[in-house]
Amino acid sequence: MSGKLSRRDLVTAACAGAAAALLPRTAGSTSPPQVGAVITGDELPAREASWYKKLPESRVECQLCPRACQVADAERGACGVRENRGGTYYTLVHGVACSVHLDPIEKKPFFHVLPGAQALSYATAGCNVECKFCQNWEISQFRPEQVRSQYLPPETLAEVAKRNGVPLLSATYSEPVVFWEYVRDTAIAGHRLGVRSTVVSNGYAQEQALKDVLPLLAAMKVDLKAFTERFYHDLVRGELKPVLKALEIIKASGTWFEIVVLLIPGQNDSEQEVRDLSRWVKANLGAEVPVHFTRFHPTYRLTNLAPTPIPVLERAWQVAKAEGLAFPYLGNVPGHPGESTACPGCGTRLIRRVGFQVLENALAGGKCPQCKRSIPGVWS
Amino acid sequence: MSRRLTRRELVGLIGAGAVAGPLLARATSGPVVRRGRVGLGTLPPPPPGRALDRGAARAALERALVAATGEPSPRLAMAALFSPSDTVGIKLNCLARSLSPRVELVEALVGLLREYGVPAHRIIVFERSDRELRQARYTIRREGGDYQCFGVASDYDSEPSTSGEIGSCFARVVSTTCTALVGFGVVKDHDLAGISASLKNWYGVIHNPNKYHDNHCDPYVADVARHPFIKDKLRLTIADGVTALYHGGPAWRPDTTWPLGLVVASTDQVAVDAWAWRVIDDERRRHGLPTVEAAGRPPRFIATAARYGLGVGDPSAIKEVLA
């Protein structure tokens, strides 16, 4: 028997390890599960969903994401984590965490949120789209009974963060929109203890669901996966338009947000597409939204493409700057100057990063120490 | 149609038969398919709250198998489909709990396989989860008894496999463990796909069926069924039509079931769906309901599967054989 672990095994082991390190183990689990209990398929705790409406003949319509799945009795939505049972829609992942880690906030990536801070990061199984290039497909593309999870209710996550001096919680890895009630309740629990919440999402959410949770968040990161409907149709199984609308809703809410664009060779990396995207961001969201252009590595169902060439990333970085974006960044290129924050006013380097590490932070009260220009973000 | 055996195959089969007992065994190079032929065995539903009579279930299944294969006896029907050296996986569809394949029918098939020479530890009755099986009155067992019975749970291949539009990790019981497969569904209406009897059942062996509900599951259902893990191993499709559902599926609804009174068997998995589409639409008309297509749920995946060469998808071209 080979001792080599698959990536999925590693995710599972990491989850179990993190939880074991942070929590006392409890034996067994009944309904409701005990905190820390391993959740198996037969024991998924069902909790009525918060965003859906009932339809005739025991059917329901989900109101979380733009898919608006109409789900018959005994069936699940496209996310695979919500089930219609006799005309009532349930989330099967409230408190059912399949991955829990302590990450630097730069890993999300947030470059304008408490630089160097740790975030207690958590995820459940499931996603509402199917990106052929998903880095975390072993959890995002599976149903909750197919991955190893532990019962970590919102209060527990908040308490663990507080007890360990971790200032941030982050819903991430898979797609937080599909476990939106868990995100909401964790943010509320964290708020009570002075721990702030962030979300890393694809932005594929309905307006009301977004508006209900945004006020509870310190920051949200949105993947803008491309700037063409073709890409969203062919490689994401989603749509671009609702994501752009979500970005406008987030902007209007006043919640801090950053954007990530994963550049994939030949798919969304043309100069014109980057230019169009940059112009739209500036016109609709403002020039000071950080936009991270990150490097693609082949994975999941897109293993036939090479990693994004560095010059292509650098071209995108230059195009974004030329179009007037104040804070374009490069990602997955450790050591590149594009990882660091410079003052758009005087050019002074403000935050020096290598990978997820902050080597230097010269910001003074959220301002450039040289020209005193305010740098937008969540700095304290 | 059964194909002619080469002399070498015949010698090999006789050799295998001498060891394992049966007079004939099927060739190992691919499934035998009698295109468009659907065998039917009558089996009236039991009174409410009562289980099927096991003898009657066995007799109905045998009639359906003989009719489906054209073989003169159930034993020769099994010989035409399986080898005693096969590991046979029987995929149930238990989502609808009370409208799942009946234990008595499934165990009748297990009995035929056992009598044919397939050992108990190489007969695997499976569904997605233990929970679904328990709810359908099956006993979970991974050893002992006449067969194994369990949910595939999280035991999937570690990498996705592509077939047409789908990219999925297949349950290892299908990709790796079994050498022969039986699809064992129920005849029912389906809210997304239009109908479900045969092909749709295979959604239960991929890790991400929820991703493939768009466009009435077309072409995704056919794409799963044409994957070599299924297409090359599938020997037989059975549908429990003792009680069937004409509206409101896939969940069980007592007010829209009807006593169809049939066990359905075929070596053509597409033909079973084409046949089920017709009988469900007929029943819907009797109740003043529009056809599934008129109701906005055209089961287009059937034509797609036929186009892929998996079987006959035209309901008017199905040859019903009532034994």
Side-chain angles (χ1 to χ4, degrees):
Chain A
M1 184 88 181
S2 166
K4 191 176 173 185
L5 292 176
S6 69
R7 195 153 172 262
R8 196 161 164 220
D9 291 334
L10 280 173
V11 170
T12 297
C15 167
L22 297 169
L23 291 164
R25 287 298 298 269
T26 50
S29 79
T30 56
S31 186
Q34 292 183 3
V35 173
V38 173
I39 304 290
T40 68
D42 288 353
E43 297 164 337
L44 287 171
R47 187 180 180 113
E48 186 171 359
S50 297
W51 292 277
Y52 79 102
K53 67 179 177 185
K54 299 194 178 206
L55 301 175
E57 298 197 288
S58 297
R59 299 169 80 245
V60 300
E61 180 181 308
C62 185
Q63 295 179 311
L64 254 187
C65 95
R67 286 184 174 276
C69 292
Q70 293 196 355
V71 184
D73 185 19
E75 287 278 52
R76 293 191 191 176
C79 59
V81 305
R82 289 166 186 271
E83 186 169 291
N84 179 349
R85 294 182 179 175
T88 300
Y89 207 35
Y90 291 92
T91 167
L92 304 179
V93 289
H94 192 278
V96 182
C98 67
S99 197
V100 181
H101 300 272
L102 273 179
D103 287 336
I105 195 66
E106 283 74 17
K107 190 178 175 182
K108 305 297 126 189
F110 283 111
F111 278 9
H112 288 227
V113 177
L114 303 184
Q118 295 282 298
L120 182 63
S121 307
Y122 64 101
T124 76
C127 184
N128 53 358
V129 295
E130 189 201 8
C131 298
K132 289 184 168 63
F133 46 88
C134 183
Q135 297 284 337
N136 290 323
W137 69 273
E138 290 97 333
I139 57 173
S140 72
Q141 299 304 314
F142 279 79
R143 287 173 288 158
E145 62 270 45
Q146 296 168 330
V147 298
R148 186 180 170 88
S149 300
Q150 285 187 293
Y151 186 62
L152 298 173
E155 298 74 18
T156 302
L157 287 175
E159 285 164 14
V160 167
K162 176 73 174 176
R163 193 186 318 141
N164 290 276
V166 179
L168 294 166
L169 289 152
S170 191
T172 178
Y173 304 133
S174 54
E175 176 44 56
V177 167
V178 309
F179 55 93
W180 212 225
E181 294 88 350
Y182 191 22
V183 172
R184 175 195 64 197
D185 295 345
T186 301
I188 291 170
H191 183 73
R192 289 194 190 109
L193 299 176
V195 182
R196 288 184 275 186
S197 276
T198 64
V199 163
V200 176
S201 170
N202 59 23
Y204 206 52
Q206 286 198 25
E207 182 169 356
Q208 192 57 51
L210 267 177
K211 285 181 172 176
D212 289 346
V213 173
L214 276 168
L216 303 169
L217 304 179
M220 186 159 174
K221 191 222 81 177
V222 175
D223 283 324
L224 182 52
K225 295 174 189 287
F227 205 62
T228 63
E229 289 290 358
R230 178 202 62 79
F231 183 100
Y232 268 85
H233 178 270
D234 293 350
L235 296 177
V236 177
R237 284 185 183 275
E239 296 172 272
L240 168 63
K241 198 173 171 185
V243 178
L244 298 181
K245 186 180 177 189
L247 283 165
E248 291 174 328
I249 292 166
I250 298 166
K251 168 71 176 176
S253 76
T255 300
W256 178 253
F257 69 108
E258 302 186 22
I259 294 171
V260 167
V261 183
L262 180 75
L263 291 179
I264 302 178
Q267 302 299 321
N268 63 353
D269 63 341
S270 73
E271 182 175 334
Q272 189 58 49
E273 185 167 342
V274 172
R275 195 174 297 285
D276 292 344
L277 183 150
S278 300
R279 285 176 180 169
W280 184 89
V281 169
K282 186 181 177 190
N284 296 278
L285 308 176
E288 297 202 322
V289 182
V291 178
H292 305 249
F293 295 100
T294 59
R295 191 178 192 206
F296 161 83
H297 291 280
T299 186
Y300 191 35
R301 297 178 64 189
L302 217 53
T303 53
N304 58 329
L305 298 178
T308 318
I310 305 295
V312 171
L313 289 155
E314 290 172 329
R315 184 183 67 195
W317 190 39
Q318 296 299 340
V319 166
K321 281 197 274 194
E323 290 298 330
L325 295 187
F327 301 104
Y329 292 104
L330 295 192
N332 297 340
V333 195
H336 194 282
E339 291 183 311
S340 294
T341 301
C343 175
C346 66
T348 299
R349 188 170 65 194
L350 300 173
I351 305 173
R352 183 176 163 225
R353 303 180 185 86
V354 172
F356 305 137
Q357 270 196 305
V358 174
L359 301 183
E360 180 188 347
N361 183 354
L363 274 176
K367 293 184 178 178
C368 171
Q370 292 298 320
C371 70
K372 311 300 179 193
R373 175 182 171 134
S374 279
I375 306 299
V378 180
W379 306 119
S380 59
Chain B
M1 287 288 288
S2 297
R3 64 180 178 80
R4 289 175 67 90
L5 298 178
T6 64
R7 192 155 174 269
R8 174 179 286 187
E9 285 170 327
L10 192 59
V11 169
L13 290 174
I14 291 169
V19 173
L23 180 63
L24 281 175
R26 65 171 295 285
T28 54
S29 57
V32 175
V33 178
R34 285 184 171 266
R35 292 174 62 86
R37 181 172 174 137
V38 172
L40 304 173
T42 55
L43 182 59
R50 299 275 297 276
L52 280 177
D53 175 80
R54 286 184 178 272
R58 164 84 178 231
L61 178 67
E62 287 183 350
R63 288 195 298 273
L65 284 172
V66 166
T69 59
E71 298 292 339
S73 72
R75 185 176 180 82
L76 288 172
M78 300 307 283
L81 300 171
F82 302 98
S83 159
S85 61
D86 273 330
T87 297
V88 182
I90 303 171
K91 167 64 176 71
L92 307 184
N93 181 343
C94 297
L95 181 137
R97 302 185 188 187
S98 302
L99 193 68
S100 301
R102 291 164 194 259
V103 175
E104 297 80 11
L105 276 172
V106 173
E107 292 190 344
L109 176 63
V110 169
L112 284 166
L113 286 165
R114 296 276 286 116
E115 289 162 24
Y116 174 59
V118 182
H121 70 277
R122 283 201 271 108
I123 300 173
I124 303 170
V125 173
F126 68 96
E127 234 297 23
R128 290 184 304 188
S129 70
D130 288 354
R131 181 178 65 124
E132 288 171 306
L133 286 163
R134 282 195 205 98
Q135 288 171 343
R137 297 195 299 118
Y138 289 85
T139 301
I140 304 304
R141 56 174 163 248
R142 289 175 170 78
E143 55 185 24
D146 282 342
Y147 60 97
Q148 298 181 60
C149 181
F150 52 78
V152 297
S154 57
D155 194 13
Y156 292 86
D157 289 339
S158 60
E159 294 294 330
S161 180
T162 298
S163 172
E165 294 291 315
I166 68 119
S168 301
C169 298
F170 280 72
R172 280 167 42 80
V173 71
V174 166
S175 66
T176 307
T177 309
C178 292
T179 59
L181 293 172
V182 178
F184 208 132
V186 289
V187 178
K188 63 180 179 179
D189 170 84
H190 196 286
D191 181 65
L192 294 167
I195 64 104
S196 169
S198 164
L199 293 157
K200 177 73 172 57
N201 189 19
W202 296 113
Y203 261 28
V205 305
I206 58 172
H207 82 284
N208 55 353
N210 303 81
K211 299 302 180 198
Y212 305 122
H213 283 166
D214 293 345
N215 196 40
H216 309 292
C217 307
D218 180 53
Y220 315 112
V221 166
D223 283 339
V224 175
R226 76 163 161 168
H227 191 286
F229 292 153
I230 310 296
K231 180 171 66 75
D232 293 350
K233 295 182 179 182
L234 184 65
R235 306 291 170 76
L236 178 65
T237 299
I238 300 174
D240 180 344
V242 177
T243 301
L245 181 75
Y246 62 84
H247 182 68
W252 175 66
R253 275 182 57 170
D255 58 326
T256 53
T257 55
W258 91 102
L260 179 57
L262 291 172
V263 177
V264 188
S266 181
T267 54
D268 180 339
Q269 58 173 334
V270 186
V272 172
D273 272 342
W275 177 87
W277 181 13
R278 190 178 72 204
V279 299
I280 288 170
D281 268 353
D282 287 348
E283 190 66 17
R284 290 177 64 86
R285 286 189 197 95
R286 273 193 283 278
H287 292 272
L289 291 169
T291 63
V292 291
E293 184 161 14
R297 299 179 279 123
R300 283 193 287 255
F301 66 87
I302 298 174
T304 302
R307 207 162 49 247
Y308 289 167
L310 298 179
V312 176
D314 177 359
S316 67
I318 301 303
K319 183 182 179 186
E320 273 185 8
V321 182
L322 184 62

